[in-house]
Amino acid sequence: MGLRQAGGVQKTGIRVWATVSEGLPPAHRSPRPWVFWTEVGAGSTCPPAPRLTMSLTAQQLVEELQIFGLECEEALTEKLAELCVLHGQNEEVMLSELIAFCTSTKKDCVTAETLNSFEHEFLTKRFSKPRHQASKDSGHAGARDIVSIQELLEVEEEEETLLNSYSTPSKGSQKRDISTPETPLTKRKVSTRSPHQLLSPSSFSPSATPSQKYNLRSNQGEVVTSFGSAQGVSWSGRGGAGSINLKVMGYPESLTGSYKSMFQKLPDIREVLTCKIEELGSELKEHYKIEAFTPVLVPAQEPITLLGQIGCDSNGKLNSKSVILEGDREHSSGAQVPVDLSELKEYSMFPGQVVVMEGINTTGRKLVATKLYEGVPLPFYQPTEEDGDFEQNMVLVACGPYTTSDSITYEPLLDLISVINRDQPDVCILFGPFLDTKHEQVENCLLTSPFEDVFKQCLRTIIEGTRSSCSHLVFVPSWRDVHHEPVYPQPPFSYSDMPPEDRKRVLFVSDPCSLSINGVVFGLTSTDLLFHIGAEEISSSSRTSDRFSRILKHILTQRSYYPLYPPQEDMAIDYENFYAYAQLPVTPDVFIIPSELRYFVKDVLGCVCVNPGRLTKGQVGGTYGRLYLRRQTTEDREGRQSPCVAVQVVRI
């Protein structure tokens, strides 16, 4: 095919056009030259390429398509004309784009389906979106997509470098940087961007306005509660400089991927609950040297010992008059008996709790309880040589939501990233939700991007924004993450776009999870256990009792991350996987249990339990936690000492 080329070269770009008519067989020649043009560089000022301004007839459009072996009905030419008007292009440009589209998709005939695909897959992205974005940006200059601007700057820099390599600089031209092996030219990279450039709320929300109440806060950095001896503690880690060994502990194994749910048989659920009763009953029997358990329906005039699970005799909330004891399968065949608590001076119960009771059942129809045996926690983990040794570690923990309820700009998240880069903690544990299902813009479907894309942009901002700190990142999902699977146990996040340089320092775990950090075991769950169990618990005590400590003690002695049954209404529990992945393998050294309730730090049965609060509380800023770990080399006379030396809860 013969080509006649003409071109104009300017200082800032090159424009080349060519007419194609010669070289074709006479029968296939177009009645007018066919025009193609391309532009290299930005800001070109050369005259426009010659184009025919007259509109083409339907017959001419069909003939032009036939030159390139494309058959088309004349009725479809009206549709093509409509596309020209809709996207503001003339017939020549539209026809060339259609030919290119059909060639790339290997179409040999233009049909109505082909035109629809051409419009949605190509024209909407090529012409409509840039025009719409340009008009939007011109009216709202403050809401520009920072990521797009950054990419344009990179492209412009590369084009300028390309043009400079083909030109000879004049005496008055600006001095160019010289690239040598010792001083190579550094190009803009993603890793050099600030978190504000990585996260662009205007790209997924039409109303990305900052929160006024959050920006007006005056108590940032305030320590609201503390635990242990913080004297002489430097709240800064070594980032990636220290040796960090992260290991997920399973019972018997850890949850690493998605699974099929939403199909459970009642006998399977019953089997899981029965196994839990029998296992805990065996441990309590051995600990308290109990000879044997009595069936719950056997009449007895003397005190007897029963094993079972606390339940409610109705669908209402549990109270002291509605308690029933559901016996185990081995001794009681699952039979139930009402329980009279009037003789118990102190008790704390909730539905699903496995207990051993002592009492009198004279008729076999009601048990008058006289004693309630306390649960027994699991032993602590004993570090091995594989866990490595460490002098001290700093761990930062934070729980979502990471943006205020009246804004989607993620300002609290950006402030948290600044804290991480400043303090350089050895490990950062971040709990969901990252895109909250309860957020106003999510509930009202106001976001313009898919939930998964918004989450990935948040994840990318955290990972790349903290790259300079070299801190290890641990991500724990939440059932309130709108893009993730709302099932418990919840599988870890998946992120296929992970940069290779960050894979060693980023870990995705399930909810719940037992994580070993250099031999210090952390119990992690984003589920609000305190709120769920607290709403169902009943208690009686002759002295002042701490409600939070009671609930935490129940969790540790029941040896389960979610001992409540039936679960809270919002919880969708897959009990087969619950039995495999939601049990405590050991008593954790540190238990992180975020909640809507007030933040706290408590020592319960030797386990340091921390509720760091949430990073945002409605329209205002919330709190995060930081822990200082230091393992004891030798045990003193008092026995075991917790490796968690000090904890602080700080306002963002």
Side-chain angles (χ1 to χ4, degrees):
M1 180 182 296
L3 293 179
R4 294 183 302 168
Q5 297 186 356
V9 180
Q10 300 295 325
K11 183 177 180 180
T12 56
I14 302 173
R15 174 169 292 186
V16 179
W17 61 85
T19 59
V20 180
S21 180
E22 302 172 4
L24 293 175
H28 291 166
R29 288 188 181 180
S30 173
R32 54 168 180 79
W34 190 255
V35 180
F36 294 93
W37 68 276
T38 182
E39 181 173 332
V40 181
S44 177
T45 58
C46 55
R51 295 182 183 174
L52 294 179
T53 56
M54 64 171 55
S55 60
L56 302 178
T57 64
Q59 181 63 28
Q60 288 176 324
L61 288 173
V62 174
E63 291 176 358
E64 294 289 348
L65 291 172
Q66 289 177 349
I67 292 176
F68 293 87
L70 295 174
E71 298 295 331
C72 179
E73 300 176 2
E74 292 187 6
L76 296 178
T77 57
E78 296 182 1
K79 173 66 174 177
L80 190 59
E82 292 177 3
L83 294 178
C84 295
V85 175
L86 179 62
H87 296 280
Q89 304 295 321
N90 57 30
E91 291 87 347
E92 289 81 24
V93 174
M94 190 63 65
L95 203 58
S96 64
E97 299 291 0
L98 177 59
I99 293 171
F101 176 81
C102 292
T103 303
S104 62
T105 56
K106 298 182 180 180
K107 307 277 187 185
D108 56 357
C109 181
V110 179
T111 62
E113 182 180 356
T114 304
L115 283 182
N116 289 334
S117 300
F118 174 62
E119 179 182 6
H120 292 92
E121 297 178 15
F122 183 83
L123 295 181
T124 304
K125 299 179 181 178
R126 177 72 180 271
F127 296 122
S128 300
K129 188 173 180 179
R131 288 172 49 210
H132 172 73
Q133 187 68 28
S135 61
K136 178 181 176 181
D137 289 348
S138 61
H140 304 279
R144 293 182 184 272
D145 190 340
I146 302 178
V147 177
S148 300
I149 295 175
Q150 187 76 15
E151 292 173 352
L152 289 175
L153 290 174
E154 292 178 0
V155 172
E156 182 179 352
E157 181 180 295
E158 292 177 358
E159 292 175 348
E160 185 176 354
T161 304
L162 176 63
L163 291 174
N164 288 339
S165 65
Y166 285 97
S167 62
T168 303
S170 61
K171 294 182 179 180
S173 63
Q174 187 176 1
K175 184 179 179 180
R176 291 172 53 199
D177 294 331
I178 300 176
S179 176
T180 65
E182 291 77 13
T183 58
L185 283 176
T186 57
K187 299 176 68 176
R188 288 190 183 97
K189 295 182 180 180
V190 179
S191 59
T192 61
R193 299 180 188 173
S194 70
H196 293 271
Q197 293 174 320
L198 292 168
L199 185 65
S200 178
S202 61
S203 65
F204 54 78
S205 174
S207 56
T209 55
S211 172
Q212 295 183 357
K213 287 189 176 181
Y214 178 79
N215 290 327
L216 293 176
R217 73 193 191 286
S218 58
N219 54 0
Q220 55 263 36
E222 176 188 355
V223 178
V224 293
T225 187
S226 59
F227 169 85
S229 176
Q231 295 181 355
V233 173
S234 175
W235 291 106
S236 60
R238 293 173 291 177
S243 176
I244 302 297
N245 183 16
L246 300 179
K247 181 175 65 176
V248 178
M249 305 178 64
Y251 183 72
E253 58 184 7
S254 59
L255 179 59
T256 58
S258 300
Y259 59 86
K260 294 181 180 179
S261 58
M262 298 181 65
F263 183 76
Q264 296 185 96
K265 297 179 181 179
L266 292 178
D268 295 338
I269 298 177
R270 181 71 261 168
E271 184 68 23
V272 171
L273 298 176
T274 300
C275 290
K276 185 181 71 169
I277 296 174
E278 292 176 350
E279 289 177 1
L280 287 178
S282 176
E283 294 290 336
L284 292 171
K285 181 179 179 181
E286 181 180 354
H287 180 79
Y288 289 106
K289 310 299 182 183
I290 299 174
E291 294 184 0
F293 294 119
T294 306
V296 297
L297 296 181
V298 173
Q301 305 299 323
E302 297 179 355
I304 55 176
T305 305
L306 307 177
L307 168 66
Q309 178 178 268
I310 298 297
C312 182
D313 63 2
S314 64
N315 291 328
K317 189 178 181 298
L318 184 69
N319 57 66
S320 59
K321 303 297 182 182
S322 63
V323 177
I324 61 172
L325 182 67
E326 182 176 347
D328 65 323
R329 181 170 53 186
E330 179 183 355
H331 302 92
S332 304
S333 301
Q336 300 176 351
V337 62
V339 180
D340 183 357
L341 302 177
S342 59
E343 299 296 324
L344 280 178
K345 296 181 180 180
E346 295 186 5
Y347 62 84
S348 174
M349 300 178 183
F350 63 91
Q353 179 184 1
V354 178
V355 298
V356 173
M357 280 186 176
E358 189 176 291
I360 299 175
N361 188 2
T362 56
T363 63
R365 297 181 180 180
K366 176 174 285 191
L367 174 69
V368 180
T370 57
K371 182 179 180 180
L372 181 64
Y373 289 85
E374 291 188 358
V376 180
L378 287 162
F380 290 94
Y381 177 72
Q382 298 298 325
T384 62
E385 294 181 359
E386 296 180 357
D387 297 316
D389 195 8
F390 69 97
E391 295 180 359
Q392 59 188 34
N393 287 140
M394 176 189 171
V395 179
L396 183 144
V397 293
C399 180
Y402 293 92
T403 186
T404 54
S405 60
D406 61 340
S407 174
I408 199 71
T409 56
Y410 283 93
E411 290 176 297
L413 175 62
L414 298 177
D415 290 340
L416 181 66
I417 293 175
S418 300
V419 171
I420 295 174
N421 290 329
R422 181 196 68 195
D423 296 340
Q424 295 185 339
D426 298 282
V427 180
C428 297
I429 304 175
L430 305 178
F431 296 83
F434 294 89
L435 182 58
D436 192 2
T437 184
K438 296 183 178 182
H439 194 279
E440 179 181 353
Q441 294 197 29
V442 174
E443 288 182 332
N444 297 330
C445 300
L446 299 179
L447 300 183
T448 57
S449 296
F451 298 143
E452 182 77 20
D453 292 349
V454 179
F455 166 73
K456 286 184 177 180
Q457 193 171 149
C458 293
L459 209 59
R460 174 188 170 203
T461 301
I462 297 171
I463 295 174
E464 298 185 11
T466 60
R467 188 175 292 165
S468 61
S469 70
C470 299
S471 299
H472 289 260
L473 302 176
V474 180
F475 292 92
V476 185
S478 167
W479 67 270
R480 284 170 56 179
D481 279 301
V482 67
H483 73 285
H484 203 43
E485 303 173 36
V487 64
Y488 187 91
Q490 195 170 24
F493 293 131
S494 60
Y495 184 47
S496 58
D497 301 331
M498 175 80 68
E501 60 267 31
D502 295 315
R503 290 176 182 172
K504 292 184 178 180
R505 70 181 189 96
V506 178
L507 178 64
F508 297 105
V509 300
S510 62
D511 174 33
C513 169
S514 296
L515 178 69
S516 171
I517 303 178
N518 287 351
V520 179
V521 178
F522 278 67
L524 308 176
T525 179
S526 60
T527 305
D528 198 343
L529 274 172
L530 293 172
F531 187 81
H532 291 182
I533 298 180
E536 301 293 337
E537 184 221 19
I538 60 172
S539 64
S540 175
S541 178
S542 58
R543 61 181 185 275
T544 304
S545 178
D546 180 10
R547 181 185 176 203
F548 289 157
S549 297
R550 290 199 313 266
I551 297 174
L552 292 168
K553 187 176 180 180
H554 283 315
I555 297 171
L556 297 177
T557 56
Q558 293 292 302
R559 307 180 179 188
S560 171
Y561 279 107
Y562 199 89
L564 182 66
Y565 183 84
Q568 203 253 0
E569 292 182 356
D570 293 338
M571 294 290 293
I573 297 181
D574 186 285
Y575 276 92
E576 181 179 353
N577 289 282
F578 169 83
Y579 185 73
Y581 303 120
Q583 310 303 311
L584 288 172
V586 294
T587 296
D589 298 298
V590 181
F591 191 19
I592 310 296
I593 180 168
S595 173
E596 296 284 353
L597 303 176
R598 186 178 176 84
Y599 47 78
F600 63 79
V601 184
K602 295 181 180 296
D603 187 339
V604 179
L605 300 177
C607 172
V608 178
C609 302
V610 183
N611 171 20
R614 299 192 181 274
L615 199 65
T616 60
K617 301 284 284 187
Q619 299 181 12
V620 298
T623 54
Y624 67 92
R626 55 190 185 188
L627 299 85
Y628 183 75
L629 307 180
R630 186 173 58 207
R631 186 191 297 167
Q632 302 294 326
T633 55
T634 57
E635 294 187 356
D636 58 6
R637 297 178 181 177
E638 297 179 358
R640 176 188 176 273
Q641 288 189 357
S642 174
C644 185
V645 177
V647 184
Q648 288 185 345
V649 177
V650 188
R651 292 193 185 276
I652 186 64

